[in-house]
Amino acid sequence: MLKDIVEATALDGYSVRLRFEDGVVGELDLSAILQFEGVFAPLKDLNRFRELRVHPELGTIFWPNGADLDPAVLYARVTGTSIPTYEIKTGTR
């Protein structure tokens, strides 16, 4: 089940503290995840990186330039669990 991020704080460097709707709190160094290419390229500037916010509808972190990250990936990194997989069912019988 997807866990929304409800609070995010930029820390030193590219680290963030995230709080999820189920109460899980953790810190991540996002430089281990981000390639700083494409839509993420401007975030290499720490001032731009620190503009991160929580998107109330998507339940994840995002930046004013439109970059965002999958909350399932962030939750898995914080908790040390696997990224959930979802089976897509097609057709009916």
Side-chain angles (χ1 to χ4, degrees):
M1 180 177 203
L2 185 64
K3 306 290 187 207
D4 285 352
I5 296 171
V6 296
E7 186 178 330
T9 305
L11 304 173
D12 291 335
Y14 298 103
S15 293
V16 296
R17 179 179 298 115
L18 303 173
R19 184 168 61 86
F20 294 85
E21 66 183 337
D22 64 353
V24 169
V25 177
E27 296 180 7
L28 289 175
D29 179 356
L30 295 183
S31 67
I33 298 172
L34 298 176
Q35 296 295 317
F36 299 107
E37 297 173 350
V39 72
F40 295 103
L43 305 183
K44 191 164 186 170
D45 176 342
L46 282 171
N47 290 321
R48 301 284 303 274
F49 179 82
R50 290 186 180 113
E51 294 176 348
L52 75 96
R53 302 285 182 266
V54 174
H55 194 292
E57 294 174 16
L58 299 178
T60 194
I61 55 175
F62 78 105
W63 288 267
N65 71 338
D68 65 14
L69 294 170
D70 185 333
V73 171
L74 298 174
Y75 189 83
R77 292 269 182 154
V78 166
T79 61
T81 58
S82 298
I83 297 170
T85 57
Y86 302 98
E87 183 178 329
I88 298 174
K89 294 182 180 184
T90 58
T92 58
R93 293 187 180 234

